[in-house]
Amino acid sequence: ALAAFIPLISGCGNAKDATAGQVAASHKVEGYDGVIVSLPKKPMRIITDSITFDTMVVGIAPPERLISANYLDDDPQLSYIAEATKNIVARRKTFGIFTAEYALQRKPDLIILSHYVKPEAVQTFRDLGFPVLVCKSPTDIADIKADIKLIAKALDEEPAGTRIIAEMDKQLQEIDILMQKQKGPMPVGMLVSRMTNYGG
């Protein structure tokens, strides 16, 4: 079900301020980890740690704002944003978190990380002065919507996020209507993956 919505995309306790003492921010966003990220301007140099968040960023904002892409982003057999990211030169050849050295070379003005990244790794980027937005790695439709809203707010592109979610709801409704017309047993699908970390 999650994969069906990827093409559409082409907190707990007291919040902590991750940028105390820095310049006044134009807007602030609270990440999934409860940390408030201060953004002094609209982010124009964005790096994420996953294909999922790359896809969301490209769906919400122009692709040139993504300054680094996963090496699989440009594979049309695996990615919905292959065409959009074809001109992004910097490629991350890993599914894990990139290094602090890599971030220092690219000089992003926003880093988007999955919630499973170790807190000490997240803090390293923050200690280097990078705004880091932690998002929940989505496992269902509600997570996808929450991530889209959060990323759209951080990118100062909330109307785009609203449009994507509205289109998701429209297609979900169309699927429900179609399924109600089906006769016979409920269709059953099976995921087959060559990736050992993902059930291969």
Side-chain angles (χ1 to χ4, degrees):
L2 295 179
F5 292 102
I6 295 298
L8 298 175
I9 299 170
S10 334
C12 300
N14 293 327
K16 300 165 283 182
D17 195 326
T19 54
Q22 295 186 6
V23 298
S26 60
H27 68 288
K28 295 186 178 185
V29 184
E30 183 177 345
Y32 182 75
D33 58 350
V35 173
I36 295 175
V37 181
S38 295
L39 298 161
K41 61 180 181 178
K42 178 180 286 194
M44 301 301 291
R45 297 180 57 81
I46 303 158
I47 298 179
T48 91
D49 70 338
S50 74
I51 297 174
T52 299
F53 295 141
D54 281 357
T55 305
M56 290 184 183
V57 168
V58 169
I60 293 167
E64 56 266 24
R65 289 172 67 180
L66 191 69
I67 61 167
S68 174
N70 189 281
Y71 75 107
L72 295 178
D73 281 348
D74 64 352
D75 186 338
Q77 303 238 351
L78 301 172
S79 168
Y80 294 106
I81 57 173
E83 181 65 23
T85 60
K86 66 181 181 181
N87 293 324
I88 299 176
V89 176
R91 296 284 168 173
R92 303 182 311 278
K93 294 187 177 182
T94 177
F95 285 104
I97 184 65
F98 45 85
T99 64
E101 289 78 11
Y102 186 87
L104 287 167
Q105 289 173 351
R106 299 297 166 195
K107 298 180 174 61
D109 53 15
L110 178 62
I111 295 175
I112 299 174
L113 299 180
S114 307
H115 75 283
Y116 54 73
V117 173
K118 293 181 178 179
E120 54 267 32
V122 175
Q123 191 58 46
T124 295
F125 291 113
R126 288 176 173 154
D127 288 344
L128 290 170
F130 296 114
V132 179
L133 180 70
V134 174
C135 296
K136 185 178 188 293
S137 185
T139 57
D140 57 26
I141 300 299
D143 287 345
I144 292 175
K145 289 182 178 181
D147 283 338
I148 291 170
K149 287 181 180 178
L150 184 57
I151 291 172
K153 185 174 182 180
L155 270 53
D156 198 17
E157 300 286 354
E158 290 180 273
T162 299
R163 287 194 298 272
I164 292 170
I165 292 171
E167 179 62 24
M168 287 177 62
D169 289 337
K170 175 177 173 288
Q171 292 197 23
L172 278 170
Q173 187 176 29
E174 291 172 353
I175 292 170
D176 285 341
I177 293 172
L178 181 63
M179 292 304 296
Q180 289 171 11
K181 295 179 180 178
Q182 297 296 314
K183 302 194 184 295
M186 180 71 70
V188 176
M190 180 176 70
L191 171 66
V192 179
S193 172
R194 292 178 296 173
M195 300 169 64
T196 56
N197 289 339
Y198 295 87

Short mmCIF file of all heavy atoms in Angstrom, two decimals, residues 65-111:
data_model
loop_
_atom_site.label_atom_id
_atom_site.label_comp_id
_atom_site.label_asym_id
_atom_site.label_seq_id
_atom_site.Cartn_x
_atom_site.Cartn_y
_atom_site.Cartn_z
N ARG A 65 16.64 21.59 -5.49
CA ARG A 65 16.86 21.87 -4.07
C ARG A 65 17.43 20.66 -3.34
O ARG A 65 17.92 20.77 -2.22
CB ARG A 65 15.56 22.36 -3.41
CG ARG A 65 15.19 23.76 -3.87
CD ARG A 65 13.82 24.20 -3.41
NE ARG A 65 13.72 24.37 -1.97
CZ ARG A 65 12.60 24.76 -1.35
NH1 ARG A 65 11.51 25.03 -2.06
NH2 ARG A 65 12.57 24.90 -0.04
N LEU A 66 17.37 19.49 -3.97
CA LEU A 66 17.99 18.28 -3.43
C LEU A 66 19.41 18.23 -3.99
O LEU A 66 19.59 18.00 -5.18
CB LEU A 66 17.19 17.05 -3.84
CG LEU A 66 17.52 15.72 -3.15
CD1 LEU A 66 17.09 15.77 -1.67
CD2 LEU A 66 16.83 14.58 -3.87
N ILE A 67 20.41 18.45 -3.15
CA ILE A 67 21.78 18.58 -3.66
C ILE A 67 22.55 17.27 -3.66
O ILE A 67 23.68 17.20 -4.15
CB ILE A 67 22.57 19.64 -2.87
CG1 ILE A 67 22.67 19.25 -1.39
CG2 ILE A 67 21.95 21.01 -3.05
CD1 ILE A 67 23.69 20.07 -0.62
N SER A 68 21.95 16.21 -3.14
CA SER A 68 22.56 14.90 -3.15
C SER A 68 21.44 13.87 -3.21
O SER A 68 20.40 14.04 -2.58
CB SER A 68 23.41 14.70 -1.89
OG SER A 68 23.90 13.37 -1.82
N ALA A 69 21.66 12.82 -4.00
CA ALA A 69 20.62 11.80 -4.16
C ALA A 69 21.21 10.42 -3.98
O ALA A 69 22.39 10.19 -4.22
CB ALA A 69 19.99 11.92 -5.55
N ASN A 70 20.38 9.49 -3.55
CA ASN A 70 20.81 8.11 -3.47
C ASN A 70 21.11 7.60 -4.87
O ASN A 70 20.45 8.00 -5.83
CB ASN A 70 19.72 7.26 -2.80
CG ASN A 70 20.21 5.86 -2.49
OD1 ASN A 70 20.27 4.99 -3.36
ND2 ASN A 70 20.55 5.62 -1.23
N TYR A 71 22.08 6.71 -4.99
CA TYR A 71 22.48 6.24 -6.32
C TYR A 71 21.36 5.48 -7.03
O TYR A 71 21.38 5.34 -8.26
CB TYR A 71 23.73 5.38 -6.23
CG TYR A 71 23.53 3.98 -5.67
CD1 TYR A 71 23.57 2.87 -6.51
CD2 TYR A 71 23.32 3.77 -4.31
CE1 TYR A 71 23.41 1.59 -6.00
CE2 TYR A 71 23.16 2.51 -3.79
CZ TYR A 71 23.19 1.41 -4.65
OH TYR A 71 23.02 0.15 -4.14
N LEU A 72 20.35 5.01 -6.29
CA LEU A 72 19.24 4.30 -6.92
C LEU A 72 18.12 5.24 -7.37
O LEU A 72 17.20 4.82 -8.05
CB LEU A 72 18.67 3.26 -5.95
CG LEU A 72 19.61 2.11 -5.57
CD1 LEU A 72 18.95 1.19 -4.55
CD2 LEU A 72 20.03 1.33 -6.80
N ASP A 73 18.21 6.52 -6.99
CA ASP A 73 17.15 7.46 -7.36
C ASP A 73 16.99 7.60 -8.87
O ASP A 73 15.90 7.93 -9.35
CB ASP A 73 17.44 8.85 -6.77
CG ASP A 73 17.07 8.95 -5.30
OD1 ASP A 73 16.39 8.05 -4.79
OD2 ASP A 73 17.47 9.94 -4.65
N ASP A 74 18.07 7.39 -9.62
CA ASP A 74 17.98 7.59 -11.06
C ASP A 74 17.75 6.29 -11.83
O ASP A 74 17.84 6.27 -13.07
CB ASP A 74 19.23 8.29 -11.60
CG ASP A 74 20.50 7.47 -11.43
OD1 ASP A 74 20.43 6.41 -10.76
OD2 ASP A 74 21.55 7.88 -11.97
N ASP A 75 17.42 5.22 -11.13
CA ASP A 75 17.12 3.94 -11.78
C ASP A 75 15.61 3.85 -11.99
O ASP A 75 14.85 3.67 -11.04
CB ASP A 75 17.60 2.78 -10.91
CG ASP A 75 17.44 1.43 -11.59
OD1 ASP A 75 16.61 1.32 -12.52
OD2 ASP A 75 18.12 0.48 -11.19
N PRO A 76 15.13 3.97 -13.24
CA PRO A 76 13.67 3.97 -13.48
C PRO A 76 12.97 2.68 -13.10
O PRO A 76 11.76 2.66 -12.93
CB PRO A 76 13.57 4.24 -14.99
CG PRO A 76 14.89 3.82 -15.55
CD PRO A 76 15.89 4.11 -14.48
N GLN A 77 13.74 1.60 -12.92
CA GLN A 77 13.13 0.33 -12.51
C GLN A 77 12.88 0.30 -11.00
O GLN A 77 12.11 -0.52 -10.52
CB GLN A 77 14.04 -0.83 -12.89
CG GLN A 77 14.37 -0.87 -14.35
CD GLN A 77 13.97 -2.17 -15.02
OE1 GLN A 77 13.58 -3.13 -14.37
NE2 GLN A 77 14.06 -2.18 -16.31
N LEU A 78 13.54 1.20 -10.27
CA LEU A 78 13.43 1.20 -8.81
C LEU A 78 12.88 2.51 -8.25
O LEU A 78 12.43 2.54 -7.11
CB LEU A 78 14.80 0.95 -8.18
CG LEU A 78 15.51 -0.36 -8.56
CD1 LEU A 78 16.93 -0.36 -8.02
CD2 LEU A 78 14.74 -1.55 -8.02
N SER A 79 12.94 3.57 -9.04
CA SER A 79 12.65 4.90 -8.52
C SER A 79 11.56 5.60 -9.33
O SER A 79 11.50 5.46 -10.55
CB SER A 79 13.94 5.74 -8.57
OG SER A 79 13.66 7.11 -8.33
N TYR A 80 10.73 6.36 -8.62
CA TYR A 80 9.71 7.18 -9.27
C TYR A 80 10.24 8.57 -9.61
O TYR A 80 9.53 9.36 -10.21
CB TYR A 80 8.49 7.31 -8.37
CG TYR A 80 7.76 6.02 -8.14
CD1 TYR A 80 7.86 5.34 -6.93
CD2 TYR A 80 6.96 5.46 -9.13
CE1 TYR A 80 7.19 4.15 -6.71
CE2 TYR A 80 6.29 4.27 -8.93
CZ TYR A 80 6.40 3.62 -7.72
OH TYR A 80 5.75 2.44 -7.50
N ILE A 81 11.47 8.88 -9.20
CA ILE A 81 12.01 10.22 -9.43
C ILE A 81 13.27 10.17 -10.30
O ILE A 81 14.10 11.06 -10.24
CB ILE A 81 12.30 10.94 -8.09
CG1 ILE A 81 13.27 10.12 -7.22
CG2 ILE A 81 11.01 11.23 -7.35
CD1 ILE A 81 13.73 10.85 -5.97
N ALA A 82 13.39 9.12 -11.10
CA ALA A 82 14.58 8.96 -11.93
C ALA A 82 14.76 10.15 -12.87
O ALA A 82 15.87 10.69 -12.99
CB ALA A 82 14.50 7.66 -12.72
N GLU A 83 13.71 10.55 -13.55
CA GLU A 83 13.82 11.66 -14.49
C GLU A 83 14.11 12.97 -13.76
O GLU A 83 14.95 13.77 -14.20
CB GLU A 83 12.52 11.79 -15.29
CG GLU A 83 12.50 12.90 -16.32
CD GLU A 83 13.51 12.70 -17.46
OE1 GLU A 83 13.91 11.54 -17.70
OE2 GLU A 83 13.88 13.70 -18.09
N ALA A 84 13.44 13.19 -12.64
CA ALA A 84 13.59 14.44 -11.89
C ALA A 84 14.99 14.61 -11.32
O ALA A 84 15.48 15.73 -11.19
CB ALA A 84 12.55 14.52 -10.78
N THR A 85 15.65 13.50 -10.98
CA THR A 85 16.95 13.59 -10.31
C THR A 85 18.13 13.32 -11.24
O THR A 85 19.27 13.23 -10.77
CB THR A 85 17.01 12.61 -9.13
OG1 THR A 85 16.82 11.26 -9.61
CG2 THR A 85 15.96 12.92 -8.08
N LYS A 86 17.89 13.22 -12.53
CA LYS A 86 18.96 12.83 -13.45
C LYS A 86 20.11 13.83 -13.49
O LYS A 86 21.24 13.47 -13.82
CB LYS A 86 18.40 12.61 -14.86
CG LYS A 86 17.86 13.87 -15.53
CD LYS A 86 17.30 13.56 -16.89
CE LYS A 86 16.78 14.84 -17.58
NZ LYS A 86 16.21 14.53 -18.91
N ASN A 87 19.83 15.09 -13.15
CA ASN A 87 20.89 16.11 -13.20
C ASN A 87 21.60 16.33 -11.87
O ASN A 87 22.46 17.21 -11.77
CB ASN A 87 20.30 17.44 -13.69
CG ASN A 87 19.84 17.36 -15.14
OD1 ASN A 87 20.47 16.70 -15.96
ND2 ASN A 87 18.74 18.03 -15.45
N ILE A 88 21.23 15.57 -10.85
CA ILE A 88 21.91 15.69 -9.57
C ILE A 88 23.21 14.89 -9.62
O ILE A 88 23.19 13.67 -9.75
CB ILE A 88 21.01 15.20 -8.41
CG1 ILE A 88 19.74 16.04 -8.33
CG2 ILE A 88 21.77 15.25 -7.08
CD1 ILE A 88 18.75 15.57 -7.29
N VAL A 89 24.32 15.59 -9.56
CA VAL A 89 25.63 14.95 -9.74
C VAL A 89 26.03 14.13 -8.53
O VAL A 89 26.51 13.00 -8.65
CB VAL A 89 26.70 16.00 -10.06
CG1 VAL A 89 28.08 15.34 -10.16
CG2 VAL A 89 26.36 16.73 -11.36
N ALA A 90 25.86 14.69 -7.34
CA ALA A 90 26.29 14.01 -6.12
C ALA A 90 25.39 12.81 -5.83
O ALA A 90 24.17 12.93 -5.76
CB ALA A 90 26.25 14.98 -4.94
N ARG A 91 25.99 11.65 -5.67
CA ARG A 91 25.25 10.41 -5.43
C ARG A 91 25.80 9.70 -4.19
O ARG A 91 27.01 9.59 -4.01
CB ARG A 91 25.38 9.48 -6.63
CG ARG A 91 24.75 10.03 -7.89
CD ARG A 91 23.24 9.92 -7.85
NE ARG A 91 22.61 10.70 -8.92
CZ ARG A 91 21.32 10.68 -9.18
NH1 ARG A 91 20.52 9.94 -8.45
NH2 ARG A 91 20.83 11.42 -10.14
N ARG A 92 24.88 9.27 -3.33
CA ARG A 92 25.27 8.52 -2.13
C ARG A 92 25.13 7.03 -2.43
O ARG A 92 24.02 6.56 -2.67
CB ARG A 92 24.38 8.91 -0.95
CG ARG A 92 24.39 10.37 -0.61
CD ARG A 92 23.52 10.66 0.61
NE ARG A 92 22.19 10.05 0.54
CZ ARG A 92 21.18 10.59 -0.12
NH1 ARG A 92 21.33 11.73 -0.78
NH2 ARG A 92 20.01 10.00 -0.14
N LYS A 93 26.21 6.31 -2.38
CA LYS A 93 26.17 4.88 -2.69
C LYS A 93 26.05 4.07 -1.42
O LYS A 93 26.87 3.21 -1.11
CB LYS A 93 27.42 4.48 -3.49
CG LYS A 93 27.46 5.13 -4.85
CD LYS A 93 28.60 4.61 -5.70
CE LYS A 93 28.55 5.24 -7.09
NZ LYS A 93 29.62 4.73 -7.98
N THR A 94 25.00 4.37 -0.67
CA THR A 94 24.77 3.66 0.59
C THR A 94 23.31 3.80 0.98
O THR A 94 22.63 4.74 0.60
CB THR A 94 25.64 4.23 1.72
OG1 THR A 94 25.31 3.56 2.94
CG2 THR A 94 25.40 5.73 1.90
N PHE A 95 22.82 2.81 1.74
CA PHE A 95 21.49 2.91 2.32
C PHE A 95 21.55 3.46 3.74
O PHE A 95 20.53 3.74 4.34
CB PHE A 95 20.80 1.53 2.32
CG PHE A 95 20.31 1.12 0.98
CD1 PHE A 95 21.00 0.17 0.25
CD2 PHE A 95 19.18 1.68 0.42
CE1 PHE A 95 20.56 -0.22 -1.00
CE2 PHE A 95 18.74 1.31 -0.83
CZ PHE A 95 19.42 0.36 -1.54
N GLY A 96 22.75 3.58 4.27
CA GLY A 96 22.90 4.08 5.63
C GLY A 96 23.12 5.58 5.66
O GLY A 96 23.05 6.27 4.64
N ILE A 97 23.42 6.07 6.84
CA ILE A 97 23.64 7.49 7.04
C ILE A 97 24.97 7.91 6.39
O ILE A 97 25.95 7.18 6.43
CB ILE A 97 23.64 7.83 8.55
CG1 ILE A 97 23.76 9.33 8.78
CG2 ILE A 97 24.74 7.08 9.27
CD1 ILE A 97 22.60 10.13 8.29
N PHE A 98 25.00 9.07 5.78
CA PHE A 98 26.23 9.58 5.21
C PHE A 98 27.10 10.14 6.33
O PHE A 98 26.65 10.35 7.46
CB PHE A 98 25.92 10.67 4.16
CG PHE A 98 24.89 11.66 4.61
CD1 PHE A 98 25.23 12.77 5.37
CD2 PHE A 98 23.56 11.47 4.28
CE1 PHE A 98 24.27 13.67 5.80
CE2 PHE A 98 22.58 12.38 4.71
CZ PHE A 98 22.94 13.48 5.46
N THR A 99 28.36 10.42 6.02
CA THR A 99 29.31 10.84 7.05
C THR A 99 29.23 12.35 7.29
O THR A 99 28.72 13.11 6.46
CB THR A 99 30.74 10.49 6.65
OG1 THR A 99 31.09 11.23 5.46
CG2 THR A 99 30.88 8.99 6.37
N ALA A 100 29.79 12.76 8.41
CA ALA A 100 29.89 14.19 8.71
C ALA A 100 30.76 14.88 7.67
O ALA A 100 30.49 16.02 7.27
CB ALA A 100 30.47 14.38 10.11
N GLU A 101 31.80 14.20 7.21
CA GLU A 101 32.68 14.76 6.19
C GLU A 101 31.91 15.04 4.91
O GLU A 101 32.12 16.07 4.25
CB GLU A 101 33.85 13.81 5.91
CG GLU A 101 34.87 13.71 7.02
CD GLU A 101 34.42 12.83 8.18
OE1 GLU A 101 33.40 12.12 8.04
OE2 GLU A 101 35.08 12.87 9.23
N TYR A 102 31.01 14.12 4.56
CA TYR A 102 30.20 14.30 3.35
C TYR A 102 29.33 15.55 3.48
O TYR A 102 29.21 16.34 2.55
CB TYR A 102 29.33 13.06 3.13
CG TYR A 102 28.57 13.06 1.82
CD1 TYR A 102 29.15 12.58 0.66
CD2 TYR A 102 27.26 13.54 1.76
CE1 TYR A 102 28.46 12.57 -0.53
CE2 TYR A 102 26.56 13.54 0.56
CZ TYR A 102 27.16 13.05 -0.58
OH TYR A 102 26.48 13.06 -1.77
N ALA A 103 28.72 15.72 4.65
CA ALA A 103 27.87 16.89 4.87
C ALA A 103 28.69 18.18 4.81
O ALA A 103 28.26 19.19 4.24
CB ALA A 103 27.16 16.78 6.22
N LEU A 104 29.89 18.16 5.39
CA LEU A 104 30.74 19.34 5.37
C LEU A 104 31.14 19.72 3.94
O LEU A 104 31.27 20.89 3.60
CB LEU A 104 31.99 19.10 6.22
CG LEU A 104 31.76 19.10 7.74
CD1 LEU A 104 32.98 18.55 8.46
CD2 LEU A 104 31.41 20.50 8.24
N GLN A 105 31.31 18.72 3.10
CA GLN A 105 31.64 18.98 1.70
C GLN A 105 30.45 19.60 0.95
O GLN A 105 30.62 20.51 0.15
CB GLN A 105 32.06 17.68 1.00
CG GLN A 105 33.41 17.14 1.44
CD GLN A 105 33.69 15.77 0.85
OE1 GLN A 105 32.83 15.13 0.24
NE2 GLN A 105 34.92 15.31 1.01
N ARG A 106 29.25 19.10 1.23
CA ARG A 106 28.06 19.53 0.48
C ARG A 106 27.43 20.81 1.02
O ARG A 106 26.70 21.49 0.33
CB ARG A 106 27.01 18.41 0.48
CG ARG A 106 27.49 17.11 -0.15
CD ARG A 106 27.82 17.29 -1.61
NE ARG A 106 28.58 16.16 -2.12
CZ ARG A 106 29.24 16.16 -3.26
NH1 ARG A 106 29.25 17.25 -3.99
NH2 ARG A 106 29.91 15.10 -3.65
N LYS A 107 27.66 21.09 2.30
CA LYS A 107 27.13 22.30 2.94
C LYS A 107 25.61 22.45 2.79
O LYS A 107 25.11 23.45 2.27
CB LYS A 107 27.82 23.56 2.38
CG LYS A 107 29.32 23.59 2.66
CD LYS A 107 29.95 24.85 2.08
CE LYS A 107 31.42 24.96 2.46
NZ LYS A 107 32.23 23.84 1.97
N PRO A 108 24.85 21.46 3.26
CA PRO A 108 23.39 21.56 3.18
C PRO A 108 22.86 22.61 4.17
O PRO A 108 23.49 22.89 5.19
CB PRO A 108 22.92 20.16 3.59
CG PRO A 108 24.01 19.67 4.50
CD PRO A 108 25.29 20.22 3.92
N ASP A 109 21.71 23.19 3.85
CA ASP A 109 21.05 24.07 4.82
C ASP A 109 19.87 23.37 5.48
O ASP A 109 19.17 23.96 6.30
CB ASP A 109 20.63 25.40 4.20
CG ASP A 109 19.78 25.25 2.95
OD1 ASP A 109 19.27 24.15 2.69
OD2 ASP A 109 19.63 26.25 2.22
N LEU A 110 19.67 22.07 5.14
CA LEU A 110 18.73 21.22 5.87
C LEU A 110 19.10 19.76 5.62
O LEU A 110 19.30 19.35 4.48
CB LEU A 110 17.28 21.45 5.43
CG LEU A 110 16.24 20.55 6.11
CD1 LEU A 110 16.20 20.79 7.61
CD2 LEU A 110 14.86 20.75 5.50
N ILE A 111 19.21 19.01 6.72
CA ILE A 111 19.42 17.56 6.64
C ILE A 111 18.17 16.88 7.18
O ILE A 111 17.70 17.21 8.27
CB ILE A 111 20.66 17.13 7.45
CG1 ILE A 111 21.93 17.73 6.85
CG2 ILE A 111 20.77 15.61 7.51
CD1 ILE A 111 23.19 17.45 7.67
#
